Amino acid sequence: MENRASSIDWSDVIKKEARGTDTSDLGEVQEIGQNYVVTQRGTVDKEKYYIPKYLVHGYDGETLWFDIEGVNFLEFKRASAPQYEEYSSRYRRTGCPPDIETRIPVLGEKLDISKRRKINEVTITKEPITGTKTMEVPVTHEEIRVERRPVSGMSTAAGTGRPVESRTEVRVPVSSEEVEVSKRPYVKEEVVVSKEPVTETRTITDTVRSERVDTENTDIGTARTTTERKLKRDNNL
């Protein structure tokens, strides 16, 4: 079998034999529709069958082959042509002939969002603050108190010497406390720095492209009519 369904010249199959891949006789090809092939069986009691094009397996130049395994062929016996949607919804397969339908991928762009971890730094700064501290500190000192007392009896002090002949100073030591200020560091408080995850929602806006299929300038009806006229003309021959 040389020709597959995707490369069949449908005008060449008119009046050719139609068979199933199981060699069952499906009649003679009479007409080609948009998504069906009309065959006819019998010489006296002629029966017409509208076989879906989707079941075409190939064409070898003499016989049009259909893959009807698991299909009740008698379902295709009918008096009028089926609606397009009837066969397309039930028998459409991948790789169907391009004259039935051509699949054109319409592309578009979508946003793919990914996340990456970024390391930032938070700087914590300590700076000196100068203030005035006032404290009250009790201090003690000694003062001189002079008392005159009369001498009675023998004095306890050595007074047997001669009176001084000039001005003489007697030094009596007195003590006092002085305040000395020194500074030492201490831990006044602690600042605890911890990290915790915070989830927020960000709105991402970007431009995406897509394709639009424009059929305004395609005369589909004219193309279809031309093909049908050609097939009918070949059939009449």
Side-chain angles (χ1 to χ4, degrees), residues 22 28 32 34 95 127 132 135-136 144 148 155 162 171 189 192 198 204-205 222 224 227 232 234 236:
D22 58 354
E28 183 183 78
I32 303 297
Q34 184 179 1
E127 59 182 11
T132 301
M135 299 178 64
E136 293 184 355
I144 295 297
R148 293 179 183 274
S155 174
R162 298 179 62 184
R171 296 182 178 273
E189 63 180 2
V192 179
V198 177
I204 306 299
T205 303
T222 301
R224 183 181 302 172
T227 302
K232 289 182 180 179
D234 293 340
N236 292 331

Side-chain angles (χ1 to χ4, degrees), residues 31-42:
E31 183 183 342
I32 303 297
Q34 184 179 1
N35 65 343
Y36 59 84
V37 176
V38 181
T39 65
Q40 180 176 282
R41 289 200 308 182

Side-chain angles (χ1 to χ4, degrees), residues 151-205:
V151 178
S152 62
M154 185 176 290
S155 174
T156 57
T160 58
R162 298 179 62 184
V164 296
E165 296 180 355
S166 62
R167 181 182 177 85
T168 302
E169 293 181 354
V170 178
R171 296 182 178 273
V172 178
V174 293
S175 63
S176 64
E177 294 178 336
E178 293 183 353
V179 178
E180 294 182 354
V181 179
S182 63
K183 293 179 286 186
R184 62 180 177 83
Y186 74 102
V187 179
K188 182 177 68 172
E189 63 180 2
E190 287 183 341
V191 176
V192 179
V193 179
S194 60
K195 298 185 294 183
E196 61 180 9
V198 177
T199 302
E200 61 181 7
T201 301
R202 294 187 178 180
T203 301
I204 306 299
T205 303

Side-chain angles (χ1 to χ4, degrees), residues 140-155:
T140 304
H141 67 279
E142 295 178 337
E143 295 180 351
I144 295 297
R145 185 176 63 182
V146 178
E147 296 181 2
R148 293 179 183 274
R149 298 177 181 177
V151 178
S152 62
M154 185 176 290
S155 174

